[in-house]
Amino acid sequence: MTRRPRYACCAGLAFCWFGAAAILCQKSPNTVRNGSPKSGSVIFRKSCSVCHSVHKGETKVGPSLYGELREGSGHSEEHVRQVIIEGQGTMPPFKEKLDSEQMDDLIAYLKTL
């Protein structure tokens, strides 16, 4: 028996395994993404910090976002996400300004406050 068929078989199995892994790792619409708090802090500074503070009790144009997503705050992640997307009161909507990845990053950052 020669070694070529065995190597070909191993190479074929490796190709199938890596191909399946690549398919499984692709983003699907139902994939939950945690987001990057570090990237979210940059987005916050650029898009939110003009009107919102991250310090407890400090009000600018809008309320401080300190503790907004802390357990017991009365605000769910879905509620905060909806307010960011649609706007509320004098806050403009950000649905045209932030893509879903940026939104995930921003939410991840707000969870750290």
Side-chain angles (χ1 to χ4, degrees):
M1 183 169 162
T2 64
R3 293 183 180 229
R4 286 187 183 176
R6 188 178 302 166
Y7 290 130
C9 181
C10 291
L13 287 174
F15 179 76
C16 289
W17 186 84
F18 284 115
I23 291 169
L24 292 173
C25 291
Q26 288 178 348
K27 273 189 176 180
S28 71
N30 298 326
T31 301
V32 175
R33 185 176 180 280
N34 292 327
S36 165
K38 185 174 181 180
S39 296
S41 71
V42 173
I43 295 165
F44 182 88
R45 276 186 264 124
K46 288 181 178 179
S47 301
C48 312
S49 66
V50 172
C51 297
H52 297 281
S53 171
V54 295
H55 304 290
K56 187 176 182 177
E58 182 181 338
T59 302
K60 291 184 175 183
V61 175
S64 170
L65 298 181
Y66 177 85
E68 277 295 301
L69 288 175
R70 185 171 299 190
E71 192 169 323
S73 70
H75 297 114
S76 67
E77 178 181 331
E78 293 77 24
H79 171 76
V80 172
R81 187 179 295 268
Q82 193 64 33
V83 169
I84 295 168
I85 291 170
E86 297 298 326
Q88 183 176 9
T90 59
M91 180 177 157
F94 281 80
K95 62 184 165 195
E96 300 296 325
K97 297 175 180 140
L98 300 175
D99 63 30
S100 62
E101 186 173 325
Q102 291 170 317
M103 182 67 71
D104 291 338
D105 293 342
L106 180 58
I107 294 292
Y109 173 67
L110 292 176
K111 287 179 178 180
T112 68
L113 301 178

Coordinates of all heavy atoms in Angstrom, one line a residue, residues 52 63-65 67-70 72-89 91-94 103 106-107 110-111:
H52 N -24.7 63.3 26.5 CA -24.8 62.3 27.6 C -23.5 62.2 28.3 O -22.4 62.1 27.7 CB -25.3 61.0 27.2 CG -26.7 60.9 26.6 ND1 -27.8 61.0 27.3 CD2 -27.1 60.9 25.3 CE1 -28.8 61.0 26.5 NE2 -28.4 60.9 25.3
P63 N -29.8 62.8 29.9 CA -29.4 62.3 31.2 C -28.1 61.5 31.1 O -27.7 61.1 30.0 CB -30.6 61.3 31.5 CG -31.1 60.9 30.2 CD -31.0 62.1 29.3
S64 N -27.5 61.3 32.3 CA -26.3 60.5 32.3 C -26.7 59.0 32.0 O -27.8 58.6 32.3 CB -25.7 60.5 33.8 OG -24.7 59.5 33.9
L65 N -25.8 58.3 31.3 CA -26.1 56.9 31.0 C -25.4 56.0 31.9 O -25.4 54.8 31.7 CB -25.7 56.7 29.5 CG -26.4 57.5 28.5 CD1 -26.0 57.2 27.1 CD2 -27.9 57.3 28.6
G67 N -25.1 53.5 34.6 CA -26.0 52.5 35.2 C -27.3 52.2 34.4 O -28.1 51.5 34.9
E68 N -27.4 52.7 33.2 CA -28.6 52.5 32.4 C -28.9 51.0 32.2 O -30.1 50.6 32.2 CB -28.5 53.2 31.1 CG -28.9 54.7 31.1 CD -30.3 54.9 31.5 OE1 -31.2 54.4 30.8 OE2 -30.6 55.6 32.5
L69 N -27.9 50.2 32.0 CA -28.1 48.8 31.8 C -27.7 47.9 32.9 O -27.5 46.8 32.8 CB -27.3 48.4 30.5 CG -27.9 48.9 29.2 CD1 -27.1 48.6 28.0 CD2 -29.4 48.4 29.0
R70 N -27.6 48.6 34.1 CA -27.3 47.8 35.3 C -28.5 47.1 35.8 O -29.6 47.6 35.6 CB -26.8 48.7 36.4 CG -26.3 48.0 37.7 CD -25.7 49.0 38.6 NE -24.5 49.5 37.9 CZ -23.6 50.2 38.5 NH1 -23.7 50.5 39.7 NH2 -22.6 50.7 37.8
G72 N -31.6 46.0 37.7 CA -32.4 46.8 38.7 C -32.6 48.3 38.2 O -33.3 49.0 38.9
S73 N -32.0 48.6 37.1 CA -32.2 50.0 36.6 C -33.6 50.3 36.0 O -34.0 51.4 35.9 CB -31.1 50.3 35.5 OG -31.4 49.6 34.4
G74 N -34.2 49.2 35.7 CA -35.6 49.3 35.1 C -35.5 49.4 33.6 O -36.5 49.5 32.9
H75 N -34.3 49.4 33.0 CA -34.2 49.5 31.6 C -33.5 48.2 31.0 O -32.5 47.8 31.5 CB -33.3 50.7 31.2 CG -33.8 52.0 31.6 ND1 -33.3 52.8 32.5 CD2 -35.0 52.6 31.2 CE1 -34.0 53.9 32.7 NE2 -35.0 53.8 31.9
S76 N -34.2 47.7 30.0 CA -33.6 46.5 29.4 C -32.7 46.9 28.2 O -32.8 48.0 27.7 CB -34.7 45.6 28.9 OG -35.4 46.2 27.8
E77 N -31.9 46.0 27.8 CA -31.0 46.2 26.7 C -31.9 46.5 25.4 O -31.6 47.4 24.6 CB -30.2 45.0 26.4 CG -29.3 45.1 25.2 CD -28.4 43.9 24.9 OE1 -28.1 43.2 25.9 OE2 -28.1 43.7 23.7
E78 N -33.0 45.8 25.3 CA -33.9 46.0 24.2 C -34.5 47.4 24.2 O -34.6 48.1 23.1 CB -35.0 45.0 24.1 CG -34.6 43.6 23.9 CD -33.9 42.9 25.1 OE1 -34.2 43.3 26.3 OE2 -33.1 42.0 24.9
H79 N -34.8 47.9 25.4 CA -35.4 49.3 25.5 C -34.3 50.3 25.1 O -34.6 51.2 24.3 CB -35.9 49.5 26.9 CG -36.3 51.0 27.1 ND1 -37.4 51.5 26.7 CD2 -35.6 52.0 27.8 CE1 -37.5 52.8 27.0 NE2 -36.4 53.1 27.7
V80 N -33.1 50.2 25.6 CA -32.1 51.2 25.3 C -31.7 51.1 23.8 O -31.6 52.2 23.2 CB -30.8 50.9 26.2 CG1 -29.7 51.7 25.8 CG2 -31.2 51.1 27.7
R81 N -31.7 49.9 23.3 CA -31.4 49.8 21.8 C -32.5 50.5 21.0 O -32.2 51.2 20.1 CB -31.3 48.3 21.5 CG -30.8 48.0 20.1 CD -30.8 46.5 19.8 NE -29.8 45.8 20.7 CZ -28.5 45.6 20.3 NH1 -28.1 46.0 19.1 NH2 -27.7 45.0 21.1
Q82 N -33.7 50.3 21.4 CA -34.8 50.9 20.7 C -34.8 52.4 20.8 O -35.0 53.1 19.8 CB -36.2 50.4 21.2 CG -37.3 50.7 20.3 CD -37.3 50.1 19.0 OE1 -36.7 49.0 18.8 NE2 -37.7 50.7 18.0
V83 N -34.4 53.0 21.9 CA -34.3 54.4 22.1 C -33.2 55.0 21.2 O -33.3 56.0 20.5 CB -34.1 54.8 23.5 CG1 -33.7 56.3 23.7 CG2 -35.3 54.5 24.4
I84 N -32.1 54.2 21.1 CA -31.0 54.7 20.3 C -31.4 54.6 18.8 O -31.1 55.6 18.0 CB -29.7 53.8 20.5 CG1 -29.2 54.0 21.9 CG2 -28.6 54.1 19.5 CD1 -28.1 53.0 22.4
I85 N -32.1 53.6 18.4 CA -32.5 53.4 17.0 C -33.5 54.5 16.6 O -33.4 55.1 15.6 CB -33.0 52.0 16.7 CG1 -31.9 51.0 16.8 CG2 -33.7 51.9 15.4 CD1 -32.3 49.5 16.8
E86 N -34.6 54.6 17.4 CA -35.7 55.4 17.0 C -35.6 56.9 17.6 O -36.3 57.7 17.1 CB -37.0 54.8 17.5 CG -37.3 53.5 16.8 CD -37.4 53.5 15.3 OE1 -38.0 54.6 14.8 OE2 -37.1 52.6 14.7
G87 N -34.8 57.1 18.6 CA -34.8 58.4 19.2 C -35.9 58.5 20.3 O -36.8 57.6 20.3
Q88 N -35.9 59.5 21.1 CA -36.9 59.7 22.1 C -36.8 61.2 22.6 O -35.7 61.6 22.9 CB -36.7 58.8 23.2 CG -37.8 58.8 24.3 CD -37.7 57.8 25.4 OE1 -36.7 57.1 25.5 NE2 -38.7 57.7 26.2
G89 N -38.0 61.8 22.6 CA -38.0 63.2 23.1 C -37.1 64.1 22.1 O -37.4 64.0 20.9
M91 N -34.0 63.6 21.6 CA -32.9 62.7 21.1 C -33.2 62.3 19.7 O -34.3 61.6 19.5 CB -32.6 61.5 22.0 CG -31.5 60.7 21.5 SD -31.2 59.3 22.6 CE -30.4 58.1 21.5
P92 N -32.3 62.5 18.7 CA -32.6 62.1 17.3 C -32.4 60.6 17.2 O -31.6 60.0 18.0 CB -31.6 62.9 16.5 CG -30.4 63.1 17.4 CD -31.1 63.3 18.8
P93 N -33.0 60.0 16.2 CA -32.7 58.5 15.9 C -31.3 58.3 15.3 O -30.8 59.2 14.6 CB -33.8 58.2 14.9 CG -34.2 59.5 14.2 CD -33.9 60.5 15.3
F94 N -30.7 57.2 15.7 CA -29.4 56.9 15.2 C -29.4 55.6 14.2 O -28.4 55.1 13.9 CB -28.4 56.6 16.3 CG -27.9 57.9 17.0 CD1 -28.7 58.6 17.8 CD2 -26.7 58.4 16.6 CE1 -28.3 59.8 18.4 CE2 -26.2 59.6 17.2 CZ -27.0 60.3 18.0
M103 N -23.9 49.3 16.9 CA -24.9 49.3 18.0 C -24.5 48.2 19.0 O -24.6 48.5 20.2 CB -26.2 48.9 17.4 CG -27.4 49.0 18.4 SD -27.7 50.6 19.0 CE -28.4 51.4 17.6
L106 N -21.7 49.7 21.1 CA -22.2 50.7 22.0 C -22.9 50.1 23.2 O -22.7 50.5 24.3 CB -23.1 51.7 21.2 CG -23.7 52.9 22.0 CD1 -22.5 53.7 22.7 CD2 -24.5 53.7 21.1
I107 N -23.8 49.2 23.0 CA -24.5 48.5 24.1 C -23.5 47.8 25.0 O -23.7 47.9 26.2 CB -25.5 47.5 23.5 CG1 -26.6 48.2 22.7 CG2 -26.1 46.6 24.6 CD1 -27.6 49.1 23.6
L110 N -22.1 50.5 27.2 CA -23.0 51.0 28.2 C -23.2 50.0 29.3 O -23.4 50.4 30.5 CB -24.4 51.3 27.5 CG -24.4 52.4 26.5 CD1 -25.8 52.5 25.9 CD2 -24.0 53.7 27.2
K111 N -23.0 48.7 29.0 CA -23.1 47.7 30.1 C -22.0 47.8 31.1 O -22.1 47.3 32.2 CB -23.1 46.3 29.5 CG -24.4 45.9 28.8 CD -24.3 44.5 28.2 CE -25.6 44.1 27.6 NZ -25.5 42.7 27.0

